[in-house]
Amino acid sequence: MDVENVTALHQAPVAGLQGRFWSIRATLLSQILGRIGSGIIVLWAAITLSFISLHVAPGDIVSLLIGEQIRTPAIEAAIRAEWGLDEPLIAQYLSYLWRVLHGDFGRSYILQTDVATLVLSQIWPTLKLTGAALVVAVVFAVVSAVATAGLRWPRRIAGGMELVLVSTPSFWLGIVLLFVFSFTLKLFPVAGDRSFSALVLPALSLGLSLGAVIGQVLREGLERALEEPFALTVRSWGANALTLRLRHGLRHAALPAVTLTGWLIGNLLSGAVITEQVFGRPGLGKITVDAVLGKDLPVVLAVAILSAFIYVVLSTLVDTLYLLLDPRLRART
């Protein structure tokens, strides 16, 4: 056998591996782009529904803008021209879509200020509360699942506690926490956002119910993982139960919990609006409630679209992470 044939035999497996590698990368990239495309469609649907709700909502926008002024045909015509209400509905929709894509959500009917500036000025307290609640949820779920998985009575006790938390509205849990830890024990501030201690009770009231749901799923996955053959192998190495659960079992049980967490993040965003009101915190909750009570529709729609955007982005990231972590999904799609 000459040198050329030997070289070709050695290069053939390498070329095959390289071809398979690039094929997997191309498949993964196409699936990720598909997830992003689906997210864009969902976001477009949210913007469209927001526009439709603006026009089918009860009440006359012109009457709301006129307020207590004397209503005359000239004033009505001027307001319609100023806000683009005299144009055909399809033209209004395309204009609205174009402005939203460029970050222009119009002006507040009541405050007469730029809606995007108003919302962005209040988004940080809400994101801080949501992030803290997510940390509470994840820590609670991991501790509950690791401590009780496979143990009969601890599992029942944890399941009962999780059922109570899931069944309790976040605002009611917040009121109970305020009564016990703020009014009675005086350990945490009643309202405001001046220190880290003011974030503890709102994060607990918002995150515990989410952690209870995730904990149930994580416990089921961890119990299945502990019955797999690899668990017996790890035990034969002399690893203790805690090491087996934390270092090995959680990795196999985490995938369904990760997906569920991404899906439930929308509940955190909606729950934060109510929780901020209960604890008197600044954020999107206050301006949303004020806008709803005052029928300030541009502000309400901006908050709704922003919430949909955050939810779509996080859901797309979770779907992408799931594809990266689980090769079986790439093989099925």
Side-chain angles (χ1 to χ4, degrees), residues 178 181-183 186 188-192 198 201-202 278-281:
L178 276 175
F181 294 102
S182 295
F183 295 116
K186 301 186 185 302
F188 297 98
V190 176
L201 295 184
V278 172
F279 289 91
R281 293 177 55 84

PDB file of all heavy atoms in Angstrom, residues 178 181-183 186 188-192 198 201-202 278-281:
ATOM      1  N   LEU A 178     -46.091  40.970  56.379  1.00  0.00           N
ATOM      2  CA  LEU A 178     -46.051  42.322  56.947  1.00  0.00           C
ATOM      3  C   LEU A 178     -46.551  42.321  58.389  1.00  0.00           C
ATOM      4  O   LEU A 178     -45.950  42.951  59.279  1.00  0.00           O
ATOM      5  CB  LEU A 178     -46.896  43.273  56.101  1.00  0.00           C
ATOM      6  CG  LEU A 178     -46.250  43.885  54.868  1.00  0.00           C
ATOM      7  CD1 LEU A 178     -47.270  44.707  54.090  1.00  0.00           C
ATOM      8  CD2 LEU A 178     -45.072  44.767  55.265  1.00  0.00           C
ATOM      9  N   PHE A 181     -43.746  40.120  60.586  1.00  0.00           N
ATOM     10  CA  PHE A 181     -42.358  40.552  60.676  1.00  0.00           C
ATOM     11  C   PHE A 181     -42.173  42.070  60.711  1.00  0.00           C
ATOM     12  O   PHE A 181     -41.107  42.543  61.116  1.00  0.00           O
ATOM     13  CB  PHE A 181     -41.559  39.975  59.501  1.00  0.00           C
ATOM     14  CG  PHE A 181     -41.443  38.485  59.542  1.00  0.00           C
ATOM     15  CD1 PHE A 181     -42.241  37.681  58.736  1.00  0.00           C
ATOM     16  CD2 PHE A 181     -40.548  37.868  60.388  1.00  0.00           C
ATOM     17  CE1 PHE A 181     -42.141  36.300  58.775  1.00  0.00           C
ATOM     18  CE2 PHE A 181     -40.426  36.490  60.439  1.00  0.00           C
ATOM     19  CZ  PHE A 181     -41.234  35.703  59.633  1.00  0.00           C
ATOM     20  N   SER A 182     -43.172  42.818  60.283  1.00  0.00           N
ATOM     21  CA  SER A 182     -43.042  44.279  60.297  1.00  0.00           C
ATOM     22  C   SER A 182     -43.827  44.912  61.439  1.00  0.00           C
ATOM     23  O   SER A 182     -43.276  45.658  62.253  1.00  0.00           O
ATOM     24  CB  SER A 182     -43.500  44.869  58.957  1.00  0.00           C
ATOM     25  OG  SER A 182     -42.651  44.451  57.908  1.00  0.00           O
ATOM     26  N   PHE A 183     -45.121  44.604  61.524  1.00  0.00           N
ATOM     27  CA  PHE A 183     -45.952  45.233  62.550  1.00  0.00           C
ATOM     28  C   PHE A 183     -45.754  44.607  63.930  1.00  0.00           C
ATOM     29  O   PHE A 183     -45.761  45.313  64.931  1.00  0.00           O
ATOM     30  CB  PHE A 183     -47.430  45.142  62.152  1.00  0.00           C
ATOM     31  CG  PHE A 183     -47.759  45.910  60.913  1.00  0.00           C
ATOM     32  CD1 PHE A 183     -48.198  45.267  59.774  1.00  0.00           C
ATOM     33  CD2 PHE A 183     -47.606  47.294  60.880  1.00  0.00           C
ATOM     34  CE1 PHE A 183     -48.493  45.984  58.630  1.00  0.00           C
ATOM     35  CE2 PHE A 183     -47.899  48.015  59.740  1.00  0.00           C
ATOM     36  CZ  PHE A 183     -48.347  47.360  58.611  1.00  0.00           C
ATOM     37  N   LYS A 186     -41.337  43.792  64.151  1.00  0.00           N
ATOM     38  CA  LYS A 186     -40.621  45.019  63.752  1.00  0.00           C
ATOM     39  C   LYS A 186     -39.188  44.717  63.286  1.00  0.00           C
ATOM     40  O   LYS A 186     -38.237  45.418  63.611  1.00  0.00           O
ATOM     41  CB  LYS A 186     -40.586  46.027  64.906  1.00  0.00           C
ATOM     42  CG  LYS A 186     -41.982  46.434  65.382  1.00  0.00           C
ATOM     43  CD  LYS A 186     -41.922  47.523  66.423  1.00  0.00           C
ATOM     44  CE  LYS A 186     -43.310  47.836  66.965  1.00  0.00           C
ATOM     45  NZ  LYS A 186     -44.262  48.243  65.909  1.00  0.00           N
ATOM     46  N   PHE A 188     -38.488  44.194  59.841  1.00  0.00           N
ATOM     47  CA  PHE A 188     -38.299  44.714  58.495  1.00  0.00           C
ATOM     48  C   PHE A 188     -39.163  45.951  58.294  1.00  0.00           C
ATOM     49  O   PHE A 188     -40.197  46.113  58.956  1.00  0.00           O
ATOM     50  CB  PHE A 188     -38.662  43.651  57.446  1.00  0.00           C
ATOM     51  CG  PHE A 188     -37.803  42.426  57.497  1.00  0.00           C
ATOM     52  CD1 PHE A 188     -38.243  41.286  58.157  1.00  0.00           C
ATOM     53  CD2 PHE A 188     -36.560  42.413  56.902  1.00  0.00           C
ATOM     54  CE1 PHE A 188     -37.466  40.146  58.208  1.00  0.00           C
ATOM     55  CE2 PHE A 188     -35.766  41.282  56.942  1.00  0.00           C
ATOM     56  CZ  PHE A 188     -36.209  40.142  57.607  1.00  0.00           C
ATOM     57  N   PRO A 189     -38.742  46.849  57.394  1.00  0.00           N
ATOM     58  CA  PRO A 189     -39.543  48.050  57.114  1.00  0.00           C
ATOM     59  C   PRO A 189     -40.918  47.685  56.557  1.00  0.00           C
ATOM     60  O   PRO A 189     -41.090  46.651  55.905  1.00  0.00           O
ATOM     61  CB  PRO A 189     -38.709  48.812  56.081  1.00  0.00           C
ATOM     62  CG  PRO A 189     -37.330  48.250  56.195  1.00  0.00           C
ATOM     63  CD  PRO A 189     -37.490  46.833  56.614  1.00  0.00           C
ATOM     64  N   VAL A 190     -41.877  48.543  56.810  1.00  0.00           N
ATOM     65  CA  VAL A 190     -43.233  48.318  56.321  1.00  0.00           C
ATOM     66  C   VAL A 190     -43.334  48.618  54.832  1.00  0.00           C
ATOM     67  O   VAL A 190     -44.008  47.909  54.087  1.00  0.00           O
ATOM     68  CB  VAL A 190     -44.234  49.183  57.119  1.00  0.00           C
ATOM     69  CG1 VAL A 190     -45.645  49.034  56.545  1.00  0.00           C
ATOM     70  CG2 VAL A 190     -44.209  48.799  58.585  1.00  0.00           C
ATOM     71  N   ALA A 191     -42.676  49.665  54.377  1.00  0.00           N
ATOM     72  CA  ALA A 191     -42.793  50.093  52.985  1.00  0.00           C
ATOM     73  C   ALA A 191     -41.497  50.748  52.546  1.00  0.00           C
ATOM     74  O   ALA A 191     -40.594  50.998  53.340  1.00  0.00           O
ATOM     75  CB  ALA A 191     -43.963  51.063  52.814  1.00  0.00           C
ATOM     76  N   GLY A 192     -41.412  51.031  51.238  1.00  0.00           N
ATOM     77  CA  GLY A 192     -40.258  51.745  50.694  1.00  0.00           C
ATOM     78  C   GLY A 192     -39.236  50.828  50.069  1.00  0.00           C
ATOM     79  O   GLY A 192     -39.385  49.601  50.022  1.00  0.00           O
ATOM     80  N   ALA A 198     -35.628  46.145  53.112  1.00  0.00           N
ATOM     81  CA  ALA A 198     -36.958  46.428  52.554  1.00  0.00           C
ATOM     82  C   ALA A 198     -37.287  45.513  51.380  1.00  0.00           C
ATOM     83  O   ALA A 198     -38.441  45.467  50.948  1.00  0.00           O
ATOM     84  CB  ALA A 198     -37.037  47.885  52.114  1.00  0.00           C
ATOM     85  N   LEU A 201     -39.010  40.928  52.503  1.00  0.00           N
ATOM     86  CA  LEU A 201     -40.399  40.459  52.563  1.00  0.00           C
ATOM     87  C   LEU A 201     -41.076  40.446  51.191  1.00  0.00           C
ATOM     88  O   LEU A 201     -41.765  39.464  50.861  1.00  0.00           O
ATOM     89  CB  LEU A 201     -41.192  41.302  53.553  1.00  0.00           C
ATOM     90  CG  LEU A 201     -40.762  41.198  55.018  1.00  0.00           C
ATOM     91  CD1 LEU A 201     -41.700  42.003  55.901  1.00  0.00           C
ATOM     92  CD2 LEU A 201     -40.697  39.756  55.484  1.00  0.00           C
ATOM     93  N   PRO A 202     -40.923  41.492  50.361  1.00  0.00           N
ATOM     94  CA  PRO A 202     -41.519  41.405  49.023  1.00  0.00           C
ATOM     95  C   PRO A 202     -40.977  40.248  48.199  1.00  0.00           C
ATOM     96  O   PRO A 202     -41.739  39.575  47.487  1.00  0.00           O
ATOM     97  CB  PRO A 202     -41.166  42.759  48.388  1.00  0.00           C
ATOM     98  CG  PRO A 202     -40.941  43.671  49.525  1.00  0.00           C
ATOM     99  CD  PRO A 202     -40.355  42.824  50.611  1.00  0.00           C
ATOM    100  N   VAL A 278     -48.661  46.311  47.600  1.00  0.00           N
ATOM    101  CA  VAL A 278     -48.828  45.854  48.980  1.00  0.00           C
ATOM    102  C   VAL A 278     -47.736  46.420  49.875  1.00  0.00           C
ATOM    103  O   VAL A 278     -48.004  46.860  51.009  1.00  0.00           O
ATOM    104  CB  VAL A 278     -48.826  44.315  49.036  1.00  0.00           C
ATOM    105  CG1 VAL A 278     -48.812  43.817  50.482  1.00  0.00           C
ATOM    106  CG2 VAL A 278     -50.031  43.758  48.297  1.00  0.00           C
ATOM    107  N   PHE A 279     -46.508  46.463  49.367  1.00  0.00           N
ATOM    108  CA  PHE A 279     -45.378  46.903  50.182  1.00  0.00           C
ATOM    109  C   PHE A 279     -44.992  48.361  49.934  1.00  0.00           C
ATOM    110  O   PHE A 279     -43.974  48.820  50.453  1.00  0.00           O
ATOM    111  CB  PHE A 279     -44.157  46.006  49.918  1.00  0.00           C
ATOM    112  CG  PHE A 279     -44.304  44.624  50.481  1.00  0.00           C
ATOM    113  CD1 PHE A 279     -44.840  43.595  49.729  1.00  0.00           C
ATOM    114  CD2 PHE A 279     -43.915  44.353  51.782  1.00  0.00           C
ATOM    115  CE1 PHE A 279     -44.983  42.327  50.243  1.00  0.00           C
ATOM    116  CE2 PHE A 279     -44.043  43.077  52.318  1.00  0.00           C
ATOM    117  CZ  PHE A 279     -44.590  42.061  51.543  1.00  0.00           C
ATOM    118  N   GLY A 280     -45.783  49.071  49.150  1.00  0.00           N
ATOM    119  CA  GLY A 280     -45.512  50.479  48.921  1.00  0.00           C
ATOM    120  C   GLY A 280     -44.163  50.746  48.272  1.00  0.00           C
ATOM    121  O   GLY A 280     -43.481  51.722  48.615  1.00  0.00           O
ATOM    122  N   ARG A 281     -43.786  49.909  47.337  1.00  0.00           N
ATOM    123  CA  ARG A 281     -42.499  50.043  46.664  1.00  0.00           C
ATOM    124  C   ARG A 281     -42.658  50.810  45.356  1.00  0.00           C
ATOM    125  O   ARG A 281     -43.704  50.744  44.703  1.00  0.00           O
ATOM    126  CB  ARG A 281     -41.904  48.660  46.356  1.00  0.00           C
ATOM    127  CG  ARG A 281     -41.505  47.859  47.571  1.00  0.00           C
ATOM    128  CD  ARG A 281     -40.992  46.492  47.145  1.00  0.00           C
ATOM    129  NE  ARG A 281     -39.903  46.601  46.183  1.00  0.00           N
ATOM    130  CZ  ARG A 281     -38.627  46.785  46.510  1.00  0.00           C
ATOM    131  NH1 ARG A 281     -38.285  46.885  47.793  1.00  0.00           N
ATOM    132  NH2 ARG A 281     -37.698  46.864  45.586  1.00  0.00           N
TER     133      ARG A 281
END
